[in-house]
C-alpha cells in the first residue's frame, strides 16, 4: 500500500524536498559567512532560513505591488536571495575552505540530511493514512491557505468576510502557498504536505541547534545530542499517557490515584460496563483519547468546582498528531532557527556587525509575523544571548552599567528593525489582545505541572544541581536564596495588592463578584483569594529555585569573580542554562498574569508560553544529558546516568507510538482489513458532501483568477459545512465563523459585521428578485450557492427567484451556483 501511494503521490513529497533543499542552497553561502561561529557554520539551519528569506522577499514584493502572486515571482525571489547570498560569500570568503569544512562536518551533515528526509516521508505517510481536514480549526487554516494561493495581493482576502483582508498572522500560510504554487498542487493536498514539511523542518532545525550546542564543547561529535534534541521537540510526549490515560483506559487505577492527579474527566477510575472485558487494546480506547494529554492542568473556582474553560497544555508531538496548521506549528522551525542565531551570538565572542544584526532582525520579524506570541520571547532570547556574550568577555564576571545599557540597546534596535521590515503587515493587522489581567485564583498544582514537563524536570533538575556542585565557591548562594525566597513572596504580595485594587475597578469587580457565594461580601473575597495563592507556593518555589540556580551559576559573587575565572561554565553550558531560565520564566508568568482576550482566562496564555518553554527545554536537555554523561567516569555512575536518561525519555515516547497507531489505523478504520482505502494526501473529497464538493471545484475553474464574491449560508465555528467555498478555493464568502472573526478583529468586529447574518437570511428566504437585489449589490455578490447546508437551513422556496432569472452554473446533484453579478433591481419590479 505504501509503495502504491509513493508511485502515485511520491512526486509531491520529492518536489517539496527539492524545493526546500534549493531554498537552503540559496541561503547556504549566507550561513557560511554569518553563522561561521556555529560548528557546522549554519548548514543545518539553511533550509529554514532559505524558506523564510525567500518568503520575505516574495511577500514584500507582492505587498508593495512590485511582484504578482505567481510561480514566476517566487522563482524571482529565490534568485534574488541566491544572488545576495553568493555576493556576500564572494566578498567575505569562506573560513578554512569547503574541503576542510566537509571533513570536519561530514557525519553531522549526513545525519542531518537523513533526519530531514526520513521525517518528511514519515509524516507524509501518516497524513496519507489519515488525511482528514475536518475538526478543530482545520477549516480555518485551510481557508487561509486557499486564500494565500488565490489572492492577487497581500494581505490575502479574508475567505470568510468578503471585502476585507485577513486580520491574522498569515505569513506561514504564504510560505506553504509558495511551495504549493511551485509544485502545482491545490490547498487540500498542500495542507497535509505542509504538516509533513513543518515536522521535518522542526526535526532538522532542532537537530542543528542541539547538535551545534553540543559540538561547542571540544571533543563532542554532536549528532547524538542533535538526535535527542530533535526527538524531544518533535515526538516526545508528556507523562499524562503513562500515569493517567493508560491506567484509566485499562481500568487499572484506583479512585485515590486519579483524585491525586486531579485531571478533569479523569477524577475517578473508569467504571466498565457490567460483564465487559478490560479495554486494554488501543482500538478499544475512547475516541480521541490522546486529546487529554493537551489538557492536563485543571483550574478550579474558589468553591472547588472545575472551571469550564480547558487550560491548554499542548506540546509539539500533540500538534503534529492533531495536524492543525496553526501559527504555533507554522512558527516552530523558525523559532528554533532564531535560537540557533542566538547560540551563534554567544559562540562568536564578538559584537554582531550590521549584516548579522539585519539577519537577526529579519528572522525575528518573520517569527513575529508567523506567530506574534513568539516575538517577545524570541527578542528576550536574542538580548540575553548578547548579554551572555558580553558577560563571558568580562574579566570581572559581570556587566557594568554601560554594558548593560548596550545590551538593552541591542535588543531595542533588533525589535524596532524587525517591526520596520514587516511594517506592511502591521498596518493592516488588528488584534483581540487587550492588555494584562491578574491571575487571582488559579495557581498551578505542582503535580500537574510535573505531568506536563516530567522528562525535563528530571534531567534538567539533575543537571542544574550538578552545575551548582561544579561551581563550588563561585556559586552565588546569596543570589540563589534571594531569588528562591523573595520572588514567590513578591508574587503573593503582588497578587494580594492586585486583588485589593481589582475589587474596586469596574472591569474586574464584575468578574470577582462571580467568585462570591451567596451572602458573601467583596471584603470576604480578598482573603480567600490570598489563601488560594498561598496554596500555589510550591510551584512558585520550584520555578524560582530553578531560575535562581541559573543566575547563581552565571553571576558569581563579587569575592570570587577575579580569582575563579576558570570555574566559569562553558559557553554551551551558559547558553543551555539561559534557555532553562527563560523557559522557567515562561512557566512563572501565568501564575500571576495572563493576556486579556475573548476567553477571559489564562488558557491561551498558558498554551503559548508553555509551548515555547517546551522548545527551549528540549534544546537544553540535549546539552544536559550529554554533559552529565561526559562528566562521569566509565563505570556504574555513567550507566546509572544512562538509565536515568532512559527513565525520563522513554515514558514520553509512548505517546507518539500509541497516538500514531490510533490516528493512522484506528480512526481511519485501516486496522480493519476490509476498509483498506488507497492512501492519499488529498483530504478534499472527504471534506464535505460529494455534490457540494464537485460544484465548488467547478466554480473554482469557471471563476478563473479573479476575486468574485459568493453568498452561502453562514454557520457556527468548527463546522466545515459552512463557508466551504471560501475554505476550499479562497473565493470570499459574505460571512462565516463569526466567533473567530471577533477573535481576529477585536473591538472593531461589530462595525465590520454589520447586518451580514440578517442580510444572508433575507437573501435566501425572500421570494422575489427585487427583495434580494439590494443585498446582492451591497456586498458585490457574484454567485449564490445552493448546496446541502442552504437547503437544510432555508429550504427551496427562495431558490425559485434565482432559477427563474438565471441558469444554474456548476450543477452537481442538488448543489448548484447561480451567477448573479451585474444584477440590478431596475426593471425587475416585484417579479
Amino acid at each position: 500500500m505504501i509503495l502504491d501511494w509513493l508511485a502515485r503521490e511520491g512526486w509531491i513529497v520529492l518536489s517539496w524536498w527539492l524545493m526546500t533543499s534549493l531554498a537552503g542552497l540559496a541561503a547556504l553561502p549566507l550561513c557560511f559567512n554569518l553563522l561561521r561561529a556555529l560548528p557546522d557554520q549554519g548548514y543545518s539551519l539553511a533550509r529554514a532560513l532559505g524558506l523564510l528569506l525567500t518568503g520575505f522577499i516574495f511577500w514584500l514584493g507582492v505587498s508593495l505591488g512590485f511582484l504578482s502572486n505567481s510561480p514566476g515571482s517566487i522563482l524571482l525571489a529565490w534568485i534574488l536571495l541566491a544572488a545576495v547570498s553568493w555576493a556576500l560569500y564572494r566578498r567575505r570568503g569562506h573560513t578554512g575552505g569547503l574541503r576542510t569544512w566537509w571533513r570536519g562536518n561530514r557525519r553531522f551533515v549526513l545525519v542531518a540530511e537523513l533526519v530531514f528526509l526520513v521525517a518528511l516521508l514519515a509524516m507524509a505517510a501518516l497524513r496519507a493514512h489519515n488525511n482528514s481536514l475536518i475538526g478543530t480549526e482545520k477549516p480555518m487554516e485551510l481557508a487561509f491557505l486557499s486564500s494565500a494561493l488565490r489572492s492577487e495581493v497581500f494581505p490575502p482576502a479574508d475567505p470568510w468576510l468578503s471585502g476585507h483582508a485577513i486580520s491574522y498572522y498569515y505569513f506561514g500560510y504564504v510560505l506553504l502557498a509558495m511551495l504549493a504554487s511551485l509544485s502545482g498542487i491545490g490547498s487540500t493536498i498542500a495542507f497535509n504536505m505542509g504538516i509533513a514539511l513543518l515536522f521535518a523542518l522542526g526535526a532538522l532545525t532542532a537537530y542543528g541547534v542541539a547538535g551545534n550546542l553540543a559540538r561547542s564543547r571540544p571533543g563532542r561529535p554532536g549528532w547524538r545530542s542533535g538526535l535527542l534534541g530533535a526527538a524531544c521537540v518533535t515526538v516526545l510526549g508528556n507523562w499524562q499517557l503513562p500515569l493517567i490515560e493508560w491506567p484509566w483506559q485499562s481500568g487499572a487505577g484506583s479512585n485515590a490515584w486519579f483524585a491525586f492527579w486531579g485531571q478533569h474527566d479523569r477524577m475517578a477510575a473508569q467504571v466498565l460496563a457490567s460483564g465487559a472485558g478490560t479495554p486494554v487494546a488501543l482500538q478499544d480506547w475512547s475516541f480521541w483519547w490522546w486529546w487529554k494529554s493537551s489538557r492536563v492542568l485543571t483550574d478550579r473556582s474558589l468553591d472547588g468546582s472545575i472551571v469550564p474553560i480547558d487550560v491548554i497544555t499542548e506540546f509539539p508531538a500533540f500538534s503534529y498528531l492533531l495536524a492543525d496548521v496553526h501559527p504555533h506549528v507554522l512558527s516552530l522551525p523558525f523559532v528554533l532557527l532564531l535560537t540557533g542565531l542566538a547560540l551563534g551570538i554567544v559562540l562568536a565572542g564578538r559584537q554582531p556587525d550590521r549584516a548579522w544584526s539585519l539577519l537577526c532582525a529579519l528572522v525575528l520579524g518573520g517569527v513575529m509575523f508567523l506567530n506574534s506570541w513568539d516575538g517577545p520571547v524570541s527578542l528576550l532570547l536574542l538580548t540575553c544571548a548578547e548579554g551572555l556574550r558580553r558577560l563571558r568577555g568580562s574579566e570581572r564576571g559581570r556587566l557594568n552599567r554601560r554594558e548593560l545599557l548596550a545590551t538593552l540597546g541591542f535588543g531595542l534596535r533588533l525589535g524596532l528593525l524587525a517591526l520596520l521590515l514587516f511594517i506592511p503587515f502591521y498596518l493592516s493587522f488588528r488584534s483581540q489582545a487587550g492588555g494584562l489581567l491578574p491571575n487571582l485564583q488559579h495557581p498551578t498544582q505542582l503535580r500537574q505541572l510535573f505531568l506536563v514537563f516530567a522528562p525535563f524536570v528530571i534531567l534538567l533538575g539533575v543537571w542544574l544541581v550538578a552545575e551548582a556542585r561544579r561551581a563550588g565557591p563561585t556559586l552565588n548562594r546569596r543570589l540563589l536564596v534571594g531569588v528562591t525566597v523573595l520572588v514567590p513572596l513578591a508574587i503573593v504580595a503582588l497578587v494580594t495588592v492586585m486583588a485589593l485594587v481589582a475589587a474596586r475597578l469596574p472591569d474586574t469587580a464584575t468578574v470577582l463578584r462571580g467568585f462570591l457565594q451567596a451572602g458573601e461580601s467583596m471584603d470576604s473575597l480578598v482573603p480567600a483569594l490570598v489563601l488560594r495563592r498561598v496554596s500555589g507556593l510550591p510551584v512558585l518555589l520550584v520555578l524560582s529555585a530553578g531560575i535562581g540556580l541559573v543566575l547563581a551559576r552565571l553571576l558569581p559573587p563579587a569575592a570570587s569573580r577575579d580569582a575563579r575565572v576558570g570555574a566559569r561554565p562553558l559557553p554551551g553550558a551558559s547558553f543551555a542554562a539561559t534557555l532553562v531560565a527563560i523557559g522557567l520564566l515562561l512557566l512563572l508568568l501565568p501564575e500571576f498574569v495572563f493576556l486579556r482576550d475573548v476567553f477571559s482566562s489564562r488558557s491561551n496564555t498558558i498554551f503559548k508560553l508553555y509551548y515555547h518553554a517546551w522548545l527551549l527545554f528540549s534544546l537544553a536537555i540535549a546539552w544536559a544529558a550529554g554533559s552529565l554523561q561526559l562528566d562521569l567516569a566509565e563505570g556504574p555512575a555513567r550507566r546509572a546516568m544512562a538509565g536515568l536518561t532512559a527513565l525520563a525519555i522513554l515514558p514520553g515516547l509512548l505517546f507518539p507510538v500509541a497516538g500514531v497507531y490510533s490516528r493512522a489505523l484506528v480512526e481511519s478504520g485501516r486496522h480493519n482489513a476490509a476498509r483498506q482505502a488507497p492512501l492519499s494526501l488529498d483530504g478534499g473529497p472527504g471534506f464535505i458532501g460529494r455534490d457540494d464538493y464537485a460544484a465548488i471545484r467547478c466554480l473554482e475553474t469557471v471563476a478563473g483568477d479573479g476575486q468574485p464574491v459568493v453568498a452561502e449560508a453562514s454557520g457556527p465555528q468548527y463546522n466545515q459545512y459552512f463557508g466551504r467555498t471560501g475554505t476550499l478555493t479562497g473565493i470570499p464568502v459574505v460571512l462565516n465563523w463569526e466567533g473567530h472573526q471577533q477573535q481576529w478583529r477585536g473591538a472593531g468586529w461589530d462595525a465590520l459585521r454589520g447586518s451580514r447574518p440578517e442580510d444572508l437570511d433575507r437573501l435566501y428566504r425572500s421570494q422575489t428578485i427585487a427583495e434580494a437585489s439590494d443585498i446582492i449589490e451591497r456586498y458585490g455578490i457574484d454567485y449564490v450557492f445552493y448546496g446541502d447546508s442552504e437547503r437544510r437551513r432555508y429550504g427551496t422556496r427562495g431558490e425559485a427567484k434565482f432559477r427563474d432569472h438565471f441558469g444554474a452554473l456548476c450543477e452537481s446533484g442538488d448543489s448548484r451556483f447561480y451567477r448573479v453579478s451585474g444584477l440590478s433591481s431596475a426593471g425587475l419590479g416585484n417579479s
Side-chain angles (χ1 to χ4, degrees), residues 119-121 123-125 127 191-201:
L120 187 66
L121 282 170
M123 184 53 71
R127 293 309 300 158
F191 187 102
N192 285 318
M193 197 60 226
I195 282 290
L197 177 65
L198 293 167
F199 178 78
L201 272 181

Side-chain angles (χ1 to χ4, degrees), residues 681-700:
L681 287 168
D682 190 358
F687 186 72
I688 52 177
R690 182 179 60 184
D691 289 337
D692 279 8
Y693 185 78
I696 290 171
R697 285 307 185 199
C698 171
L699 179 71
E700 185 178 25

Side-chain angles (χ1 to χ4, degrees), residues 309 432 594 596-604 718 743:
I309 298 177
Q432 60 165 315
F594 60 89
R596 182 176 189 173
D597 53 24
V598 296
F599 305 106
S600 297
S601 76
R602 67 176 189 147
S603 177
N604 209 35
Y718 308 106
Q743 293 180 38

